[in-house]
Amino acid sequence: MANTGAARDESAVPAGAPPTRTGASPVQLNRVIHERVRLGIVSALAVNDALSFNELKDLLGTSDGNLSVHARRLEEAGYIECTKSFAGRVPRTEYRITPAGRRALNAYLDHMQALIERVREE
Amino acid sequence: MSMPAPHVPENREPVALHDRAMADLRYIRRTMERAGAFTAVPGAGGVVMGIVALAASAIAAGQSSPDRWIAVWVSAAVVSVGVAVFAIARKARQAGLSVRSGPARKFVLSFLPPVLAGAVLTAALYPLGAERLLPGLWLLLYGSGVVTAGTFSVRIVPVMGVCFMILGAAALVSPGQWGDAYMAIGFGGLHVLFGLFIARRHGG
């Protein structure tokens, strides 16, 4: 049995790394979507085909700058896609979740569930 | 100690992680619920639709022929659709939401089938002289549409749909001449009542 006691979640998964699906241990905690705003973006997009920048901003109650930084990080990781278009003259940015993003969210949910179950067993 | 215990690394940390995991799961669930709900159901628009229906039932009750009676209700339906589209678009715009977003599309797509079924049944039943069934049928099917579409909205919307369905079922087993009264209570009363509630509780 692997020892999971040594390294904690500080051993960050580097940005852009593929999501890990192997079991649940603090070592493999997915840092890309662990952060609150990013977790919110991925969760919101998981139940919508697409959401615009402003919709996400209102939903998560965050600032323009904050949202765009976190959205870019998720985009770099390949978890969300961004399309830019114009509605008349107003630029419109739309986000969608990618299959990799959906997998990462599911893995994260499994992970959280396993953490909870482990404590309940004790 | 020569071997680290694999299951119980330390006492404090699993509990902290556990709390964090619970908080995360709650946050994910809440975000998904809020992001998935279509909140652009307009209360004010509902009130206007109710007033249109109240006026229509007063006019319809005074008609001598079935042709004129149904013409009144079909006109009222057309006006109400216009009011609804305008009010939804306005509320969505005010909230900075897209009327083409996922929840909005799901709302419309689940609302339409029962309503279209109602239109088809009306066209089929009316020539057979079964117009006494129509008020009950309209209330029942409109209610079904509101219940199914309301799954994607705030809780109060499907509750309103259930009220419509109950009223429709009652109308179907009631004497035919009560039809306009049921229409007034349903499309008039329920729309105004729930419209005021939604406008107060859910903004507009």
Side-chain angles (χ1 to χ4, degrees), chain A residues 33-104:
Chain A
I33 63 171
H34 182 59
E35 195 281 328
R36 260 301 149 103
V37 174
R38 295 198 287 263
L39 188 57
I41 296 172
V42 173
S43 303
L45 291 175
V47 290
N48 283 286
D49 291 346
L51 286 173
S52 70
F53 186 86
N54 286 330
E55 285 169 343
L56 275 174
K57 199 180 74 176
D58 291 344
L59 194 71
L60 302 172
T62 179
S63 67
D64 279 25
N66 203 17
L67 178 58
S68 58
V69 167
H70 287 302
R72 195 169 314 125
R73 180 82 193 276
L74 286 168
E75 227 186 311
E76 284 162 6
Y79 291 168
I80 66 172
E81 277 170 355
C82 168
T83 51
K84 290 191 162 71
S85 61
F86 280 87
R89 293 193 163 189
V90 186
R92 184 181 161 82
T93 307
E94 270 199 336
Y95 294 100
R96 281 164 210 278
I97 193 166
T98 62
R102 209 173 279 280
R103 279 196 300 276

Side-chain angles (χ1 to χ4, degrees), chain B residues 26-81:
Chain B
R26 270 198 299 275
Y27 175 69
I28 291 169
R29 174 188 279 175
R30 205 172 55 234
T31 307
M32 283 182 166
E33 275 170 4
R34 286 181 51 217
F38 175 62
T39 50
V41 176
V47 174
V48 175
M49 286 164 75
I51 292 167
V52 169
L54 286 173
S57 47
I59 299 169
Q63 299 305 314
S64 46
S65 77
D67 278 354
R68 295 179 60 148
W69 176 83
I70 202 166
V72 170
W73 280 118
V74 170
S75 314
V78 171
V79 171
S80 290
V81 168

